[in-house]
Amino acid sequence: MGRFRAAAVAWAAAGPGAHQAAGTARETAGSGHLRTVVLVEGVSDRAALEALARRRGRDLAAEGVCVVPLGGATSIGRFLALLGPQGLGLRIAGLCDAAETGFFRRALERAGLATPGTAEELERLGFYVCDADLEDELIRALGAEGVEQVARTEGDLRSLRTFRNQPAQRPRTVHQQLRRFMGTTSGRKQHYARAMVEALALERVPRPLDDLLARV
């Protein structure tokens, strides 16, 4: 799965190594093991989905499911063209932010899959929408106290409290402060996506994430 993921990302980037990456992607896709590709916007979404899979007792790689970060919603068209029905013909599912659904709808239409006009129609195609994004969903599911407990466990509680006391943060709600804190350091958003999923009661997992995992 890691080999296919790296090849798919390099192929979609269309850089100097794209031709070789395309060959690797075709080879691994044709091996018969790869069953489904899950397209998510970023590495934090991948971390959350894989963490939830582990908690549900699933091994996505062993099941032939590869989670591929797009590096941003605007890349969805390129990935669908290469991996979807007009490309490698793989089974595709995904996760997107509410503000980015337009990119996904247009890309799905161009890929010949359908013309989804609503979130429900997107879900029928295997694409689930987070409101506003997955971090937002996870913070609401855990609650502010739950996120602070995660920060305490990760050794970040002092940093979080210092950040929240900054003049620029005081006018914001606690929820807004928590979201902003996760984006202040490289890798923190990915780390906290995993940690928040691991801290959640399973019955409180955000529906888009839970439904996507069930779909694949």
Side-chain angles (χ1 to χ4, degrees), residues 149-173:
Q149 181 57 51
V150 171
R152 180 180 289 107
T153 301
E154 300 302 319
D156 288 335
L157 186 58
R158 183 175 178 179
S159 296
L160 173 60
R161 288 177 173 170
T162 299
F163 175 81
R164 289 180 58 190
N165 281 326
Q166 292 176 359
Q169 299 305 318
R170 289 174 191 162
R172 295 175 172 164
T173 66

PDB file of all heavy atoms in Angstrom, residues 149-173:
ATOM      1  N   GLN A 149      -7.655  17.187  27.649  1.00  0.00           N
ATOM      2  CA  GLN A 149      -7.111  15.963  28.228  1.00  0.00           C
ATOM      3  C   GLN A 149      -6.136  15.302  27.263  1.00  0.00           C
ATOM      4  O   GLN A 149      -5.092  14.782  27.666  1.00  0.00           O
ATOM      5  CB  GLN A 149      -8.243  14.997  28.586  1.00  0.00           C
ATOM      6  CG  GLN A 149      -7.772  13.683  29.213  1.00  0.00           C
ATOM      7  CD  GLN A 149      -6.944  13.902  30.467  1.00  0.00           C
ATOM      8  OE1 GLN A 149      -7.343  14.616  31.373  1.00  0.00           O
ATOM      9  NE2 GLN A 149      -5.767  13.290  30.516  1.00  0.00           N
ATOM     10  N   VAL A 150      -6.471  15.329  25.980  1.00  0.00           N
ATOM     11  CA  VAL A 150      -5.546  14.802  24.970  1.00  0.00           C
ATOM     12  C   VAL A 150      -4.251  15.614  24.996  1.00  0.00           C
ATOM     13  O   VAL A 150      -3.148  15.051  24.956  1.00  0.00           O
ATOM     14  CB  VAL A 150      -6.186  14.838  23.563  1.00  0.00           C
ATOM     15  CG1 VAL A 150      -5.145  14.509  22.493  1.00  0.00           C
ATOM     16  CG2 VAL A 150      -7.344  13.859  23.481  1.00  0.00           C
ATOM     17  N   ALA A 151      -4.374  16.943  25.065  1.00  0.00           N
ATOM     18  CA  ALA A 151      -3.186  17.795  25.118  1.00  0.00           C
ATOM     19  C   ALA A 151      -2.347  17.482  26.357  1.00  0.00           C
ATOM     20  O   ALA A 151      -1.108  17.476  26.294  1.00  0.00           O
ATOM     21  CB  ALA A 151      -3.598  19.267  25.116  1.00  0.00           C
ATOM     22  N   ARG A 152      -3.015  17.217  27.472  1.00  0.00           N
ATOM     23  CA  ARG A 152      -2.297  16.853  28.700  1.00  0.00           C
ATOM     24  C   ARG A 152      -1.529  15.540  28.482  1.00  0.00           C
ATOM     25  O   ARG A 152      -0.344  15.434  28.842  1.00  0.00           O
ATOM     26  CB  ARG A 152      -3.280  16.710  29.864  1.00  0.00           C
ATOM     27  CG  ARG A 152      -2.607  16.336  31.185  1.00  0.00           C
ATOM     28  CD  ARG A 152      -3.612  16.201  32.312  1.00  0.00           C
ATOM     29  NE  ARG A 152      -4.147  17.491  32.716  1.00  0.00           N
ATOM     30  CZ  ARG A 152      -5.389  17.913  32.452  1.00  0.00           C
ATOM     31  NH1 ARG A 152      -6.232  17.125  31.767  1.00  0.00           N
ATOM     32  NH2 ARG A 152      -5.799  19.095  32.851  1.00  0.00           N
ATOM     33  N   THR A 153      -2.193  14.561  27.897  1.00  0.00           N
ATOM     34  CA  THR A 153      -1.566  13.267  27.642  1.00  0.00           C
ATOM     35  C   THR A 153      -0.370  13.403  26.705  1.00  0.00           C
ATOM     36  O   THR A 153       0.647  12.726  26.871  1.00  0.00           O
ATOM     37  CB  THR A 153      -2.592  12.290  27.022  1.00  0.00           C
ATOM     38  OG1 THR A 153      -3.693  12.138  27.929  1.00  0.00           O
ATOM     39  CG2 THR A 153      -1.973  10.932  26.747  1.00  0.00           C
ATOM     40  N   GLU A 154      -0.494  14.303  25.730  1.00  0.00           N
ATOM     41  CA  GLU A 154       0.582  14.495  24.746  1.00  0.00           C
ATOM     42  C   GLU A 154       1.672  15.441  25.242  1.00  0.00           C
ATOM     43  O   GLU A 154       2.634  15.702  24.522  1.00  0.00           O
ATOM     44  CB  GLU A 154      -0.006  15.046  23.437  1.00  0.00           C
ATOM     45  CG  GLU A 154      -1.043  14.154  22.789  1.00  0.00           C
ATOM     46  CD  GLU A 154      -0.504  12.773  22.465  1.00  0.00           C
ATOM     47  OE1 GLU A 154       0.657  12.698  21.991  1.00  0.00           O
ATOM     48  OE2 GLU A 154      -1.216  11.775  22.691  1.00  0.00           O
ATOM     49  N   GLY A 155       1.512  15.966  26.454  1.00  0.00           N
ATOM     50  CA  GLY A 155       2.519  16.870  27.015  1.00  0.00           C
ATOM     51  C   GLY A 155       2.446  18.278  26.475  1.00  0.00           C
ATOM     52  O   GLY A 155       3.420  19.045  26.572  1.00  0.00           O
ATOM     53  N   ASP A 156       1.273  18.648  25.917  1.00  0.00           N
ATOM     54  CA  ASP A 156       1.122  19.953  25.285  1.00  0.00           C
ATOM     55  C   ASP A 156       0.202  20.903  26.049  1.00  0.00           C
ATOM     56  O   ASP A 156      -0.102  21.995  25.542  1.00  0.00           O
ATOM     57  CB  ASP A 156       0.553  19.789  23.868  1.00  0.00           C
ATOM     58  CG  ASP A 156       1.555  19.219  22.896  1.00  0.00           C
ATOM     59  OD1 ASP A 156       2.769  19.377  23.132  1.00  0.00           O
ATOM     60  OD2 ASP A 156       1.123  18.602  21.892  1.00  0.00           O
ATOM     61  N   LEU A 157      -0.260  20.522  27.228  1.00  0.00           N
ATOM     62  CA  LEU A 157      -1.264  21.339  27.902  1.00  0.00           C
ATOM     63  C   LEU A 157      -0.730  22.735  28.226  1.00  0.00           C
ATOM     64  O   LEU A 157      -1.445  23.739  28.035  1.00  0.00           O
ATOM     65  CB  LEU A 157      -1.749  20.649  29.178  1.00  0.00           C
ATOM     66  CG  LEU A 157      -2.909  21.339  29.892  1.00  0.00           C
ATOM     67  CD1 LEU A 157      -4.117  21.471  28.960  1.00  0.00           C
ATOM     68  CD2 LEU A 157      -3.296  20.578  31.158  1.00  0.00           C
ATOM     69  N   ARG A 158       0.492  22.826  28.681  1.00  0.00           N
ATOM     70  CA  ARG A 158       1.055  24.146  29.001  1.00  0.00           C
ATOM     71  C   ARG A 158       1.134  25.002  27.738  1.00  0.00           C
ATOM     72  O   ARG A 158       0.785  26.193  27.756  1.00  0.00           O
ATOM     73  CB  ARG A 158       2.437  23.989  29.627  1.00  0.00           C
ATOM     74  CG  ARG A 158       3.053  25.311  30.062  1.00  0.00           C
ATOM     75  CD  ARG A 158       4.368  25.086  30.780  1.00  0.00           C
ATOM     76  NE  ARG A 158       4.985  26.348  31.170  1.00  0.00           N
ATOM     77  CZ  ARG A 158       6.128  26.436  31.830  1.00  0.00           C
ATOM     78  NH1 ARG A 158       6.772  25.335  32.186  1.00  0.00           N
ATOM     79  NH2 ARG A 158       6.620  27.615  32.153  1.00  0.00           N
ATOM     80  N   SER A 159       1.581  24.409  26.632  1.00  0.00           N
ATOM     81  CA  SER A 159       1.672  25.148  25.365  1.00  0.00           C
ATOM     82  C   SER A 159       0.297  25.602  24.906  1.00  0.00           C
ATOM     83  O   SER A 159       0.130  26.720  24.406  1.00  0.00           O
ATOM     84  CB  SER A 159       2.307  24.265  24.283  1.00  0.00           C
ATOM     85  OG  SER A 159       3.632  23.949  24.603  1.00  0.00           O
ATOM     86  N   LEU A 160      -0.708  24.740  25.080  1.00  0.00           N
ATOM     87  CA  LEU A 160      -2.069  25.084  24.693  1.00  0.00           C
ATOM     88  C   LEU A 160      -2.588  26.259  25.509  1.00  0.00           C
ATOM     89  O   LEU A 160      -3.177  27.209  24.950  1.00  0.00           O
ATOM     90  CB  LEU A 160      -2.989  23.876  24.859  1.00  0.00           C
ATOM     91  CG  LEU A 160      -4.485  24.127  24.657  1.00  0.00           C
ATOM     92  CD1 LEU A 160      -4.766  24.657  23.254  1.00  0.00           C
ATOM     93  CD2 LEU A 160      -5.283  22.851  24.915  1.00  0.00           C
ATOM     94  N   ARG A 161      -2.392  26.233  26.808  1.00  0.00           N
ATOM     95  CA  ARG A 161      -2.881  27.318  27.663  1.00  0.00           C
ATOM     96  C   ARG A 161      -2.159  28.630  27.370  1.00  0.00           C
ATOM     97  O   ARG A 161      -2.786  29.707  27.381  1.00  0.00           O
ATOM     98  CB  ARG A 161      -2.743  26.913  29.127  1.00  0.00           C
ATOM     99  CG  ARG A 161      -3.756  25.833  29.523  1.00  0.00           C
ATOM    100  CD  ARG A 161      -3.586  25.358  30.940  1.00  0.00           C
ATOM    101  NE  ARG A 161      -4.690  24.452  31.307  1.00  0.00           N
ATOM    102  CZ  ARG A 161      -4.716  23.729  32.418  1.00  0.00           C
ATOM    103  NH1 ARG A 161      -3.708  23.798  33.288  1.00  0.00           N
ATOM    104  NH2 ARG A 161      -5.739  22.941  32.673  1.00  0.00           N
ATOM    105  N   THR A 162      -0.862  28.555  27.095  1.00  0.00           N
ATOM    106  CA  THR A 162      -0.117  29.760  26.714  1.00  0.00           C
ATOM    107  C   THR A 162      -0.660  30.331  25.409  1.00  0.00           C
ATOM    108  O   THR A 162      -0.863  31.545  25.276  1.00  0.00           O
ATOM    109  CB  THR A 162       1.380  29.434  26.562  1.00  0.00           C
ATOM    110  OG1 THR A 162       1.888  28.961  27.811  1.00  0.00           O
ATOM    111  CG2 THR A 162       2.159  30.664  26.118  1.00  0.00           C
ATOM    112  N   PHE A 163      -0.924  29.445  24.461  1.00  0.00           N
ATOM    113  CA  PHE A 163      -1.456  29.873  23.168  1.00  0.00           C
ATOM    114  C   PHE A 163      -2.826  30.533  23.335  1.00  0.00           C
ATOM    115  O   PHE A 163      -3.099  31.586  22.749  1.00  0.00           O
ATOM    116  CB  PHE A 163      -1.570  28.647  22.246  1.00  0.00           C
ATOM    117  CG  PHE A 163      -2.222  28.936  20.930  1.00  0.00           C
ATOM    118  CD1 PHE A 163      -1.512  29.508  19.886  1.00  0.00           C
ATOM    119  CD2 PHE A 163      -3.568  28.626  20.724  1.00  0.00           C
ATOM    120  CE1 PHE A 163      -2.117  29.783  18.667  1.00  0.00           C
ATOM    121  CE2 PHE A 163      -4.166  28.892  19.513  1.00  0.00           C
ATOM    122  CZ  PHE A 163      -3.449  29.474  18.486  1.00  0.00           C
ATOM    123  N   ARG A 164      -3.681  29.949  24.141  1.00  0.00           N
ATOM    124  CA  ARG A 164      -5.033  30.477  24.319  1.00  0.00           C
ATOM    125  C   ARG A 164      -5.024  31.840  25.011  1.00  0.00           C
ATOM    126  O   ARG A 164      -5.979  32.610  24.862  1.00  0.00           O
ATOM    127  CB  ARG A 164      -5.882  29.483  25.109  1.00  0.00           C
ATOM    128  CG  ARG A 164      -6.239  28.224  24.314  1.00  0.00           C
ATOM    129  CD  ARG A 164      -7.073  27.268  25.128  1.00  0.00           C
ATOM    130  NE  ARG A 164      -8.303  27.901  25.577  1.00  0.00           N
ATOM    131  CZ  ARG A 164      -9.135  27.344  26.469  1.00  0.00           C
ATOM    132  NH1 ARG A 164      -8.856  26.175  27.001  1.00  0.00           N
ATOM    133  NH2 ARG A 164     -10.235  27.976  26.811  1.00  0.00           N
ATOM    134  N   ASN A 165      -3.972  32.137  25.754  1.00  0.00           N
ATOM    135  CA  ASN A 165      -3.881  33.424  26.449  1.00  0.00           C
ATOM    136  C   ASN A 165      -3.258  34.529  25.606  1.00  0.00           C
ATOM    137  O   ASN A 165      -3.155  35.673  26.065  1.00  0.00           O
ATOM    138  CB  ASN A 165      -3.082  33.258  27.746  1.00  0.00           C
ATOM    139  CG  ASN A 165      -3.925  32.651  28.855  1.00  0.00           C
ATOM    140  OD1 ASN A 165      -5.128  32.908  28.942  1.00  0.00           O
ATOM    141  ND2 ASN A 165      -3.296  31.828  29.683  1.00  0.00           N
ATOM    142  N   GLN A 166      -2.831  34.209  24.402  1.00  0.00           N
ATOM    143  CA  GLN A 166      -2.276  35.240  23.531  1.00  0.00           C
ATOM    144  C   GLN A 166      -3.369  36.243  23.154  1.00  0.00           C
ATOM    145  O   GLN A 166      -4.527  35.863  22.951  1.00  0.00           O
ATOM    146  CB  GLN A 166      -1.696  34.606  22.266  1.00  0.00           C
ATOM    147  CG  GLN A 166      -0.460  33.756  22.513  1.00  0.00           C
ATOM    148  CD  GLN A 166       0.023  33.060  21.249  1.00  0.00           C
ATOM    149  OE1 GLN A 166      -0.577  33.194  20.182  1.00  0.00           O
ATOM    150  NE2 GLN A 166       1.104  32.311  21.370  1.00  0.00           N
ATOM    151  N   PRO A 167      -3.022  37.528  23.048  1.00  0.00           N
ATOM    152  CA  PRO A 167      -4.033  38.556  22.735  1.00  0.00           C
ATOM    153  C   PRO A 167      -4.850  38.252  21.484  1.00  0.00           C
ATOM    154  O   PRO A 167      -6.057  38.492  21.456  1.00  0.00           O
ATOM    155  CB  PRO A 167      -3.188  39.822  22.563  1.00  0.00           C
ATOM    156  CG  PRO A 167      -1.988  39.585  23.408  1.00  0.00           C
ATOM    157  CD  PRO A 167      -1.697  38.112  23.299  1.00  0.00           C
ATOM    158  N   ALA A 168      -4.213  37.691  20.463  1.00  0.00           N
ATOM    159  CA  ALA A 168      -4.926  37.409  19.213  1.00  0.00           C
ATOM    160  C   ALA A 168      -5.950  36.296  19.377  1.00  0.00           C
ATOM    161  O   ALA A 168      -6.903  36.197  18.592  1.00  0.00           O
ATOM    162  CB  ALA A 168      -3.934  37.035  18.116  1.00  0.00           C
ATOM    163  N   GLN A 169      -5.773  35.451  20.411  1.00  0.00           N
ATOM    164  CA  GLN A 169      -6.673  34.306  20.586  1.00  0.00           C
ATOM    165  C   GLN A 169      -7.833  34.593  21.537  1.00  0.00           C
ATOM    166  O   GLN A 169      -8.860  33.919  21.473  1.00  0.00           O
ATOM    167  CB  GLN A 169      -5.875  33.108  21.127  1.00  0.00           C
ATOM    168  CG  GLN A 169      -4.762  32.633  20.212  1.00  0.00           C
ATOM    169  CD  GLN A 169      -5.256  32.309  18.823  1.00  0.00           C
ATOM    170  OE1 GLN A 169      -6.313  31.708  18.640  1.00  0.00           O
ATOM    171  NE2 GLN A 169      -4.490  32.725  17.815  1.00  0.00           N
ATOM    172  N   ARG A 170      -7.692  35.589  22.380  1.00  0.00           N
ATOM    173  CA  ARG A 170      -8.712  35.827  23.411  1.00  0.00           C
ATOM    174  C   ARG A 170     -10.103  36.117  22.859  1.00  0.00           C
ATOM    175  O   ARG A 170     -11.096  35.677  23.446  1.00  0.00           O
ATOM    176  CB  ARG A 170      -8.254  36.962  24.329  1.00  0.00           C
ATOM    177  CG  ARG A 170      -7.087  36.566  25.228  1.00  0.00           C
ATOM    178  CD  ARG A 170      -6.563  37.747  26.019  1.00  0.00           C
ATOM    179  NE  ARG A 170      -5.295  37.426  26.674  1.00  0.00           N
ATOM    180  CZ  ARG A 170      -4.452  38.328  27.138  1.00  0.00           C
ATOM    181  NH1 ARG A 170      -4.742  39.618  27.014  1.00  0.00           N
ATOM    182  NH2 ARG A 170      -3.328  37.966  27.716  1.00  0.00           N
ATOM    183  N   PRO A 171     -10.248  36.829  21.732  1.00  0.00           N
ATOM    184  CA  PRO A 171     -11.609  37.077  21.225  1.00  0.00           C
ATOM    185  C   PRO A 171     -12.273  35.829  20.623  1.00  0.00           C
ATOM    186  O   PRO A 171     -13.480  35.828  20.402  1.00  0.00           O
ATOM    187  CB  PRO A 171     -11.396  38.137  20.133  1.00  0.00           C
ATOM    188  CG  PRO A 171     -10.032  38.694  20.369  1.00  0.00           C
ATOM    189  CD  PRO A 171      -9.249  37.585  20.965  1.00  0.00           C
ATOM    190  N   ARG A 172     -11.493  34.790  20.370  1.00  0.00           N
ATOM    191  CA  ARG A 172     -12.027  33.601  19.723  1.00  0.00           C
ATOM    192  C   ARG A 172     -12.676  32.673  20.744  1.00  0.00           C
ATOM    193  O   ARG A 172     -12.358  32.695  21.928  1.00  0.00           O
ATOM    194  CB  ARG A 172     -10.917  32.858  18.972  1.00  0.00           C
ATOM    195  CG  ARG A 172     -10.358  33.658  17.806  1.00  0.00           C
ATOM    196  CD  ARG A 172      -9.184  32.963  17.170  1.00  0.00           C
ATOM    197  NE  ARG A 172      -8.777  33.634  15.944  1.00  0.00           N
ATOM    198  CZ  ARG A 172      -7.619  33.460  15.326  1.00  0.00           C
ATOM    199  NH1 ARG A 172      -6.713  32.644  15.852  1.00  0.00           N
ATOM    200  NH2 ARG A 172      -7.342  34.113  14.210  1.00  0.00           N
ATOM    201  N   THR A 173     -13.576  31.833  20.254  1.00  0.00           N
ATOM    202  CA  THR A 173     -14.188  30.824  21.125  1.00  0.00           C
ATOM    203  C   THR A 173     -13.142  29.751  21.444  1.00  0.00           C
ATOM    204  O   THR A 173     -12.126  29.616  20.754  1.00  0.00           O
ATOM    205  CB  THR A 173     -15.387  30.168  20.432  1.00  0.00           C
ATOM    206  OG1 THR A 173     -14.920  29.414  19.297  1.00  0.00           O
ATOM    207  CG2 THR A 173     -16.409  31.205  19.985  1.00  0.00           C
TER     208      THR A 173
END
